[in-house]
Amino acid sequence: MKKYIVTIAMVSLLAACGGNSANNNNGDSAANNTSEGAGTGGTADLSSNPDYQKGLDLIGKSDCLTCHQPTNKVVGPAYQDVADKYAGVDTAVTYLAHRVIHGVNPSAGDKANWGAETNNAVMTPHPQLSEADAEQMVKYVLLLKTK
């Protein structure tokens, strides 16, 4: 019985984080982060940055906003928290793009860098994304640093 309940819980979590809902209104919240709280202390206007525009467009077409938001932790960490954590890390774009495409599953032995902060939540893999698109999405996220 316990295995049955755990299986249902995992399927529910994957459905919640893996679905691409046509009714997803969260795309607006990412677009609202063009200047307030982004970049250098909330004064930078990122809306004219091509990496910002391309990444925002790709994220808007994906299911990312189901589990992540620009400023608030949902299931996964907020984009700003990711940007702050990886600010100045030379390999961040490649590393995080790999995580986006292949996902993270702590129960399968993947190292969960957000462990306690996200209750070791599974990062749903997105194998349909090209490496270039995943990197573009990560570049957008990294532009949202607050520190």
Side-chain angles (χ1 to χ4, degrees):
M1 182 69 172
K2 194 178 203 180
K3 288 182 183 179
Y4 180 71
I5 292 171
V6 170
T7 302
I8 289 176
M10 290 302 293
V11 168
S12 297
L13 177 66
L14 288 174
C17 288
N20 190 4
S21 173
N23 295 330
N24 185 352
N25 293 327
N26 294 332
D28 291 340
S29 64
N32 290 336
N33 198 33
T34 58
S35 61
E36 191 172 329
T40 56
T43 60
D45 182 11
L46 299 174
S47 61
S48 61
N49 184 315
D51 285 334
Y52 180 92
Q53 290 296 329
K54 290 176 191 172
L56 179 63
D57 183 50
L58 289 166
I59 285 175
K61 293 177 183 176
S62 75
D63 63 346
C64 301
L65 294 168
T66 304
C67 297
H68 301 276
Q69 292 291 312
T71 58
N72 300 316
K73 175 190 165 296
V74 183
V75 174
Y79 291 150
Q80 286 182 342
D81 293 339
V82 173
D84 290 344
K85 183 171 188 166
Y86 290 96
V89 176
D90 294 339
T91 58
V93 172
T94 304
Y95 174 75
L96 293 171
H98 177 81
R99 302 283 264 195
V100 168
I101 293 169
H102 299 285
V104 179
N105 186 351
S107 63
D110 291 340
K111 185 177 182 227
N113 293 339
W114 297 92
E117 296 171 52
T118 62
N119 272 340
N120 287 319
V122 172
M123 166 81 174
T124 305
H126 298 84
Q128 75 281 8
L129 289 174
S130 69
E131 188 173 331
D133 283 352
E135 287 181 357
Q136 193 63 59
M137 295 162 98
V138 169
K139 287 177 185 177
Y140 159 79
V141 169
L142 294 176
L143 285 171
L144 303 179
K145 69 182 182 206
T146 61
K147 297 178 183 178

